Amino acid sequence: MPAAWTGPSAPGDYITIAAAGSAEGTYLNYCYTTAPSPCIINAPDTAGPYEIRYVTGAQGKTLATEPLLVK
């Protein structure tokens, strides 16, 4: 699935998919923001609620989330 973003794109920043409500630092598939936007991230095979997260590489802190429902 394509994931588009705007953001700081600092070194090590990445876009990831994680289970909804999972702990900070949890991730499944990801792409670094140094890749052109949008990047392609493989959605999980298991149905359920997930989040797309923009995570800082320097601090590992989630800056933004977007809900994702895999059916």
Side-chain angles (χ1 to χ4, degrees):
M1 69 171 270
W5 69 89
T6 57
S9 293
D13 288 4
Y14 61 95
I15 306 295
T16 187
I17 296 175
S22 61
E24 185 84 54
T26 302
Y27 64 92
L28 298 171
N29 299 318
Y30 64 92
C31 68
Y32 288 105
T33 60
T34 53
S37 179
C39 67
I40 302 299
I41 303 176
N42 293 325
D45 292 331
T46 305
Y50 294 88
E51 298 173 338
I52 300 172
R53 299 177 178 177
Y54 186 109
V55 181
T56 63
Q59 299 168 332
K61 182 177 178 180
T62 299
L63 297 181
T65 63
E66 187 68 29
L68 171 68
L69 180 60
V70 175
K71 294 184 178 186

